[in-house]
Amino acid sequence: LNGSICTMTISPYYEWIQDSEEMIRNIPRSKIRLVSMIGKGAFGEVFYGLLADVAHLRNELPVAIKTLPSLCSEQTKSEFFFEAIILSKFKHPNIIRFLGISIDDRSMFLILELMEGGDLRTFVRDARPREKGECSSLSILDLLKLSLDIAKGCQYLESNKFIHRDIAARNCLLTEKGPHRVAKIGDFGMARDILRTNYYRKNGVAMIPVKWMPPEAFMDGVFTSKTDVWAFGVVLWEVFTMGFVPYPGKTNAEVMKYVLGHGRLNQPPLCSGELFDLMKKCWKSKPKERPSFVSIVETMTKIKREHKQEDPIMLENLSKDPAPFVID
Ligand SMILES: C[C@@H](Oc1cc(-c2cccc(S(C)(=O)=O)c2)cnc1N)c1cc(F)ccc1N1NC=CN1
């Protein structure tokens, strides 16, 4: 890292780290300005900030800054750094851009592309029509475009044999709220923790996203790209319910029992039969029977291309909620 020595234990089987050709840029702290807090991450606060002297830019570049306070363990420091290593490997329009790291004796910063549209779950929730007769700022086509963006990001990870383990609307971000918005996968905290220490926790408590996991994952800890496919199916459900929590009212234990008994999420009112068929395929009990992301991107591209009506979403479309049911 450009002169500053850092020691960290890297899980031995992740050989591709050692041969990471691109260096991770260590950005001098003097070039970074923290402006305001965006929220809290798993480690420390996340800020909206400004980065000076960026390449061809005349003025400062708005960025998102993940901070890690200095009073933390060596393990936490190496986890934080490990996320930078993971992020620096990815180059794709639907994966968050990593700009660099900034280490000084007080703290560590991860500098990320600023996604001014915020996270996907909050975005679709905020776009819900409030009153009867009021229409949403979003159309079904907008929801299809957002979903297809995430599918493409997942296809890139799948083609790189990278298992994300926590694909969910909360971990996806939007470049802007406006009509030219692009959705990207924005957080790799679960993959980072599993790759380094084989488990995921926040302040010591295991945090397992059961509602986004297939049976082989929450029963046997088996994770493959087909795990991400199941989770993507749940993201489709989140987007087309405009931000519902999956399996409303069910605890994680009840969801595990329900899903093991072949119970599945219901068809969201905004979701066409064709799209729901795709969701159901993502939730096949047998991983091998789930589609690849290559096939998901193809199917969703076709659905999007054939989607003609542009009518915006009304509250009436959202409300009818057929009961959950059993498939397979
Ligand atoms: C680490 C953080 O990264 C970002 C958050 C926001 C961002 C997130 C929410 C709202 C806004 S905004 C529109 O208020 O500026 C910007 C914008 N750009 C980022 N690069 C993040 C990545 C995710 F994938 C999911 C959630 C968050 N966080 N972490 C703390 C809060 N969100």
Side-chain angles (χ1 to χ4, degrees):
L1 262 179
N2 306 353
S4 62
I5 306 297
C6 63
T7 57
M8 60 181 291
T9 52
I10 290 178
S11 13
Y13 69 90
Y14 234 81
E15 68 287 341
W16 57 258
I17 300 277
Q18 273 84 26
D19 69 13
S20 73
E21 58 287 350
E22 60 262 15
M23 285 296 282
I24 295 179
R25 204 165 324 108
N26 185 24
I27 296 168
R29 190 55 58 90
S30 59
K31 296 200 182 309
I32 298 166
R33 224 156 24 104
L34 299 187
V35 176
S36 58
M37 183 153 40
I38 290 177
K40 280 213 170 306
F43 287 109
E45 292 130 345
V46 180
F47 288 83
Y48 164 84
L50 292 166
L51 183 56
D53 305 344
V54 173
H56 55 287
L57 292 187
R58 215 160 10 86
N59 37 27
E60 294 168 304
L61 177 71
V63 291
I65 300 167
K66 274 183 105 164
T67 65
L68 182 69
S70 57
L71 60 151
C72 68
S73 66
E74 282 313 305
Q75 151 135 355
T76 307
K77 280 195 184 114
S78 67
E79 277 169 16
F80 196 75
F81 182 75
F82 198 68
E83 181 169 3
I85 294 197
I86 291 175
L87 289 172
S88 68
K89 301 286 288 185
F90 297 141
K91 299 270 180 297
H92 188 272
N94 299 111
I95 304 279
I96 190 88
R97 274 272 185 275
F98 167 72
L99 301 175
I101 198 166
S102 175
I103 300 177
D104 75 3
D105 51 356
R106 279 164 306 139
S107 57
M108 274 173 94
F109 289 173
L110 283 190
I111 319 296
L112 302 168
E113 166 187 9
L114 179 71
M115 301 288 278
E116 304 197 9
D119 72 274
L120 175 58
R121 180 171 182 272
T122 305
F123 178 73
V124 292
R125 286 178 69 87
D126 291 353
R128 268 193 207 154
R130 295 269 176 290
E131 316 283 328
K132 277 204 177 310
E134 181 197 328
C135 59
S136 164
S137 54
L138 298 180
S139 67
I140 299 288
L141 191 60
D142 291 314
L143 301 184
L144 282 170
K145 284 177 185 167
L146 290 172
S147 308
L148 181 53
D149 284 343
I150 299 305
K152 288 174 178 172
C154 291
Q155 180 185 350
Y156 173 80
L157 296 179
E158 179 184 68
S159 64
N160 282 281
K161 307 227 178 315
F162 188 91
I163 305 164
H164 185 281
R165 296 168 178 260
D166 197 8
I167 295 293
R170 64 180 172 274
N171 289 331
C172 299
L173 296 169
L174 304 179
T175 51
E176 56 168 84
K177 295 187 195 293
H180 303 297
R181 65 188 79 85
V182 173
K184 308 191 179 192
I185 299 170
D187 186 280
F188 288 77
M190 179 71 90
R192 169 203 59 219
D193 287 359
I194 300 294
L195 289 173
R196 269 204 84 283
T197 52
N198 277 322
Y199 69 98
Y200 184 73
R201 86 261 167 259
K202 177 170 130 182
N203 316 327
V205 177
M207 295 248 301
I208 307 290
V210 167
K211 294 187 169 183
W212 283 261
M213 290 164 73
E216 78 276 2
F218 62 66
M219 290 304 287
D220 314 317
V222 171
F223 287 81
T224 65
S225 280
K226 298 298 189 187
T227 317
D228 289 344
V229 166
W230 177 292
F232 176 76
V234 181
V235 169
L236 280 178
W237 189 89
E238 290 185 273
V239 168
F240 281 83
T241 55
M242 298 190 85
F244 274 20
V245 175
Y247 313 94
K250 280 194 170 64
T251 65
N252 281 347
E254 288 162 343
V255 169
M256 289 162 80
K257 189 159 174 280
Y258 176 68
V259 167
L260 284 169
H262 301 288
R264 292 297 183 269
L265 289 164
N266 60 316
Q267 178 170 355
L270 295 176
C271 178
S272 68
E274 203 179 358
L275 187 60
F276 190 51
D277 288 345
L278 177 62
M279 288 157 101
K280 286 185 284 187
K281 287 192 184 105
C282 293
W283 302 327
K284 282 282 186 188
S285 300
K286 296 192 185 77
K288 285 189 172 48
E289 292 181 7
R290 297 172 207 152
S292 67
F293 279 111
V294 170
S295 148
I296 288 170
V297 167
E298 275 166 14
T299 306
M300 292 202 62
T301 304
K302 182 172 147 305
I303 293 174
K304 192 188 102 180
R305 195 182 307 117
E306 287 163 3
H307 187 84
K308 289 294 167 259
Q309 83 253 34
E310 260 296 290
D311 50 335
I313 296 161
M314 312 290 284
L315 193 64
E316 298 69 40
N317 314 133
L318 266 175
S319 50
K320 53 187 191 308
D321 189 358
F325 63 104
V326 184
I327 57 159
D328 240 10

